[in-house]
Amino acid sequence: MYNKMKDFQLLLFGIVLVLGMLCSAKIIVDNLSQSGITVTGSAYEIVKSDSATLDLSINTRNADKAVAYAQLKNQIPAVVAYLIENGIKEDEITVNTPQNYSSNKYTSTGAATNEIAYYNFSQIVSIKSQDIELIQKLSIDAQALLEKGININTNRPEYNYSKLADLKIKLLGEATKDAQMRATQMLKATNNKPGKIKSVKMGVFQITAPTSNEVSDWGINDNSTVEKKVTAVANVVFGVK
């Protein structure tokens, strides 16, 4: 009699346990159906820049402000002529507004005084061209202007991709599809499938060198390489069916 009672209790416990698991599974599925499932998808594409920019900084310094400015004014045409001679078109050159500041004299102990020692002038000559190889070459060769007495500093070229806006739209679509595939795999365990999209939130874009894994919460826009990796992220909420 005791053994029969024990077996009955075990059977009853098993039934209760199974019913509890079924109820729990139903609750989970019902909650999923109501709230949906949030999945993050991503997509990327490697593109080649179709234009480049290069800034050349021309600098002069003299104790006489007028002389310092005159020296700068006389050097700019020589820089522009050099660029045209080396393959840059005139409409690809922009001569920016000159800037100036003064440098004060110092005492023998290194303390700054109110007396002006020099007036410094600088002016940026910017080049934008679709000939990326020419820009790369000039970023090195333009230092030859130093031999002509022109104090020039060459900044690092910046490489740009003009169809970035269209690419972002395309990648957002692909990232959403990736999220759907991920949701499908996640819901297999509950014998469910992702339903209609409830909402889509676009994450920041990461534009990096092709081999870089760097990410930032604010997004990255690296223009230091000709080829660049554009990565899109989409946070998608799917209904469950």
Side-chain angles (χ1 to χ4, degrees), residues 138-206:
L138 283 172
S139 68
I140 299 171
D141 294 350
Q143 296 298 319
L145 287 167
L146 291 169
E147 298 173 359
K148 297 183 179 181
I150 298 175
N151 183 9
I152 187 169
N153 291 317
T154 307
N155 294 341
R156 173 182 56 81
E158 295 185 356
Y159 305 100
N160 306 292
Y161 182 65
S162 63
K163 299 176 182 178
L164 195 57
D166 293 335
L167 179 60
K168 286 182 176 181
I169 295 173
K170 174 187 173 184
L171 289 178
L172 181 58
E174 293 179 359
T176 303
K177 289 180 181 178
D178 181 60
Q180 186 178 34
M181 292 175 58
R182 292 171 184 263
T184 299
Q185 294 299 318
M186 292 170 64
L187 289 171
K188 274 186 177 181
T190 59
N191 294 318
N192 291 96
K193 296 180 180 179
K196 293 182 179 180
I197 293 176
K198 292 188 173 184
S199 67
V200 178
K201 184 179 180 182
M202 181 179 66
V204 295
F205 283 85
Q206 312 290 342

Side-chain angles (χ1 to χ4, degrees), residues 14-28:
I15 292 172
V16 172
L17 182 62
V18 171
L19 289 174
M21 293 174 66
L22 290 174
C23 289
S24 297
K26 186 177 186 305
I27 290 171
I28 291 172

Side-chain angles (χ1 to χ4, degrees), residues 53 96 162 227:
T53 59
N96 296 282
S162 63
E227 288 192 336

Side-chain angles (χ1 to χ4, degrees), residues 75-114:
Q75 291 180 4
I76 295 299
V79 173
V80 172
Y82 171 85
L83 295 175
I84 294 174
E85 288 170 5
N86 283 272
I88 296 296
K89 300 174 184 177
E90 189 172 353
D91 61 1
E92 295 175 335
I93 302 172
T94 300
V95 179
N96 296 282
T97 304
Q99 305 294 324
N100 72 90
Y101 65 94
S102 59
S103 298
N104 290 354
K105 291 182 178 181
Y106 287 84
T107 65
S108 58
T109 60
T113 69
N114 293 324

Side-chain angles (χ1 to χ4, degrees), residues 183-239:
T184 299
Q185 294 299 318
M186 292 170 64
L187 289 171
K188 274 186 177 181
T190 59
N191 294 318
N192 291 96
K193 296 180 180 179
K196 293 182 179 180
I197 293 176
K198 292 188 173 184
S199 67
V200 178
K201 184 179 180 182
M202 181 179 66
V204 295
F205 283 85
Q206 312 290 342
I207 304 173
T208 63
T211 57
S212 173
N213 293 316
E214 185 180 5
V215 295
S216 168
D217 291 340
W218 304 101
I220 298 173
N221 187 16
D222 184 357
N223 53 20
S224 64
T225 57
V226 175
E227 288 192 336
K228 47 190 86 254
K229 180 180 179 182
V230 184
T231 304
V233 175
N235 300 305
V236 189
V237 179
F238 293 97

Side-chain angles (χ1 to χ4, degrees), residues 46-61:
I46 295 176
V47 297
K48 185 175 182 179
S49 300
D50 51 21
S51 69
T53 59
L54 177 66
D55 286 347
L56 307 175
S57 176
I58 296 86
N59 308 281
T60 60
R61 185 178 73 168

